[in-house]
């Protein structure tokens, strides 16, 4: 099934008189929540929906615990998760401290199977 795209116009702020350039944007066709995903997994396995729900909730807790320790969590074929920080610079390495950190993010890198999915997608323009 193809991914639906729509054109999105953008202007260059440094060149206000330049013509608008249009880029493709993937449009969502809906959402799936944990209840639906756990129901589908339960139908495809011998687990109950409650078991699936419990595993996902526990997975989030375990991910949280390991990420707090600064560990990379690899869940192949799903992918890996790790903490990344942004911050301000200092004039020497000795001056870098927690006060230099302005924000933290979780980086997700998809596994090989999910990356392969990206190379096999097709796209269609929304009408």
């Amino acid at each position: 099934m193809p991914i639906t795209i729509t054109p999105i116009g953008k202007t260059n702020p440094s060149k206000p008189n330049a013509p608008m350039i249009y880029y493709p944007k993937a449009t969502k066709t809906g959402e799936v929540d944990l209840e639906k995903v756990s129901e589908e997994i339960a139908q495809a396995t011998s687990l109950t929906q409650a078991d699936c729900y419990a595993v996902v909730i526990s997975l989030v807790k375990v991910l949280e615990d390991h990420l707090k320790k600064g560990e990379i969590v690899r869940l192949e074929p799903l992918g890996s998760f790790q903490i990344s920080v942004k911050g301000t610079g200092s004039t020497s390495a000795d001056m870098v401290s927690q006060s230099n950190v302005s924000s933290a993010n979780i980086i997700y890198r998809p596994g090989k199977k999910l990356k392969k999915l990206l190379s096999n997608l097709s796209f269609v323009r929304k009408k």
Side-chain angles (χ1 to χ4, degrees):
M1 174 173 262
I3 303 294
T4 305
I5 57 172
T6 55
I8 300 296
K10 295 187 178 188
T11 57
N12 185 340
S14 64
K15 298 179 183 176
N17 295 330
M20 188 173 289
I21 304 292
Y22 293 87
Y23 298 90
K25 180 181 179 190
T27 56
K28 66 180 178 183
T29 58
E31 290 185 9
V32 179
D33 61 8
L34 179 56
E35 185 169 340
K36 177 69 173 162
V37 170
S38 62
E39 180 183 308
E40 290 176 4
I41 293 170
Q43 290 174 355
T45 66
S46 61
L47 300 171
T48 67
Q49 185 176 359
D51 292 336
C52 297
Y53 223 95
V55 168
V56 173
I57 299 303
S58 296
L59 175 62
V60 171
K61 175 65 175 123
V62 170
L63 269 170
E64 197 177 292
D65 292 344
H66 288 282
L67 290 173
K68 282 180 182 177
K69 294 177 189 175
E71 298 173 334
I72 297 173
V73 181
R74 296 191 194 282
L75 302 174
E76 291 301 329
L78 181 62
S80 65
F81 300 81
Q82 79 180 78
I83 298 293
S84 169
V85 297
K86 292 182 181 177
T88 57
S90 292
T91 55
S92 76
D94 292 338
M95 294 177 63
V96 175
S97 69
Q98 182 174 337
S99 63
N100 292 86
V101 177
S102 57
S103 67
N105 293 300
I106 297 173
I107 297 174
Y108 166 70
R109 291 184 181 93
K112 291 177 185 176
K113 191 171 183 177
L114 290 177
K115 277 186 187 175
K116 186 177 178 182
L117 165 126
L118 294 173
S119 64
N120 295 324
L121 293 175
S122 61
F123 302 92
V124 62
R125 185 170 171 190
K126 186 176 181 179
K127 297 180 184 192

